Amino acid sequence: DQQVKQNSPSLSVQEGRISILNCDYTNSMFDYFLWYKKYPAEGPTFLISISSIKDKNEDGRFTVFLNKSAKHLSLHIVPSQPGDSAVYFCAASESRSYGKLTFGQGTILTVHP
Amino acid sequence: NAGVTQTPKFQVLKTGQSMTLQCAQDMNHEYMSWYRQDPGMGLRLIHYSVGAGITDQGEVPNGYNVSRSTTEDFPLRLLSAAPSQTSVYFCASSYSTGQAFFGQGTRLTVV
């Protein structure tokens, strides 16, 4: 029972264009969502988060959108850079259970120069 | 500022052996967790702790034990290693805001 799903295993984008990574969830108790970036042989690093009371959060080139009715969130990277090439994980938690993150399977993003 | 430190980085075990994966954090975080990452499955929660002396099971706890005697340390014990426990293990810590900081991982192979 996969409560957080990233249905695209991989995404290839040209440098300078927009990258859009998608994530769906099924558990309506999730109210805090995060995106992590992971390079090979390293631990995941936090990128951006959003609370369920918002529908958008922006941090520099990264924007996360949350559509609660559709149980869908997306991460937009504009403009994409070759250094953004990594695995991106979507994660979710319930506010009463911080420290317990449920992750999606990950999407491999490749940004071509 | 070390953050979350995991040791060892690599380990090969024989089936039936036991070992302890170490995790330490220096950020005074109350929450600590252990995850395993397997191909195509993302990270799955093994055990977590909301403070010293308090632990609970995650999604895949079987075959693993934890204890939290101090705020800083959260070791993960494999009681009798099995090939199905071959994986990459990540320790994480966080405040109650939910943003977790991860260690560099331990790559474990059970033969």
Side-chain angles (χ1 to χ4, degrees), chain A residues 1-2 32 34 36 38 41-44 46 89 93 95 97-106, chain B residues 31 33 35 37 40-43 45 48 50 57 90 94-104:
Chain A
D1 177 25
Q2 190 83 22
Y32 189 66
L34 310 91
Y36 281 84
K38 186 182 179 304
E42 294 185 11
F46 171 75
F89 290 100
S93 73
S95 57
S97 299
Y98 287 132
K100 292 178 65 176
L101 294 175
T102 301
F103 282 84
Q105 307 95 311
Chain B
Y31 294 85
S33 312
Y35 295 85
Q37 184 191 8
M41 301 191 74
L43 283 80
L45 182 65
Y48 72 102
V50 300
Q57 295 181 352
F90 290 101
S94 67
Y95 291 119
S96 59
T97 53
Q99 176 193 330
F101 296 82
F102 285 82
Q104 297 279 19

Side-chain angles (χ1 to χ4, degrees), chain A residues 4-26:
Chain A
V4 178
K5 293 182 182 179
Q6 294 175 255
N7 291 319
S8 298
S10 63
L11 175 67
S12 183
V13 170
Q14 206 68 29
E15 181 179 6
R17 307 295 291 266
I18 184 172
S19 296
I20 300 176
L21 296 96
N22 294 302
C23 178
D24 297 295
Y25 63 96
T26 57

Side-chain angles (χ1 to χ4, degrees), chain B residues 30 32 46 59 62 71-73 76 78-80 104:
Chain B
E30 52 201 313
M32 294 188 76
I46 304 172
E59 181 185 355
N62 293 340
T71 300
E72 295 78 20
D73 300 298
L76 178 72
L78 279 71
L79 307 174
S80 177
Q104 297 279 19

Side-chain angles (χ1 to χ4, degrees), chain A residues 21-64:
Chain A
L21 296 96
N22 294 302
C23 178
D24 297 295
Y25 63 96
T26 57
N27 187 343
S28 57
M29 297 300 292
F30 289 148
D31 57 6
Y32 189 66
F33 304 90
L34 310 91
W35 285 95
Y36 281 84
K37 177 179 177 179
K38 186 182 179 304
Y39 293 117
E42 294 185 11
T45 55
F46 171 75
L47 201 53
I48 193 169
S49 64
I50 188 167
S51 165
S52 61
I53 62 173
K54 295 185 174 181
D55 54 18
K56 176 182 173 182
N57 190 27
E58 206 168 342
D59 184 1
R61 296 186 296 116
F62 303 91
T63 303
V64 56

